[in-house]
Amino acid sequence: MSKTLFNMTMGLGIMVLAAQQVQAQSCAPRDEVITRLAETYGETRKSIGIARQGAVMEVFASDQSGSWTITVTLPDGMTCLVASGQSYEDMAEALPPNV
């Protein structure tokens, strides 16, 4: 289980770093991205985290459809789509103890 969590965390970190290299066609001002995710997909913010160089990573998901989107908002206010998919599940598992 901890290896799976580690792999997921590493994968997310790689996606966040990749988002900093995303071209303009998948980025837009944050308010436009949030509005589109809400109106088109019914997604709301489920989690948030701080990435490198002041970027903010957010996960949006729909409780009804199970769709999800990961975004990264850069310090200049531009939000880039990093990944999206289906079958989102909200989980509240305890983290493993530090070894």
Side-chain angles (χ1 to χ4, degrees), residues 4-23:
T4 301
L5 182 60
F6 175 78
N7 288 339
M8 290 173 55
T9 302
M10 288 300 297
L12 183 57
I14 291 168
M15 287 188 293
V16 168
L17 293 174
Q20 295 176 356
Q21 304 300 319
V22 175
Q23 296 185 15

Side-chain angles (χ1 to χ4, degrees), residues 37 40-44 46 59-70 84-89:
L37 291 175
T40 305
Y41 302 101
E43 295 180 4
T44 58
K46 301 295 182 181
V59 177
F60 293 83
S62 169
D63 294 328
Q64 285 74 40
S65 71
S67 69
W68 57 266
T69 305
I70 298 174
S84 63
Q86 295 294 320
S87 301
Y88 177 83
E89 291 184 37

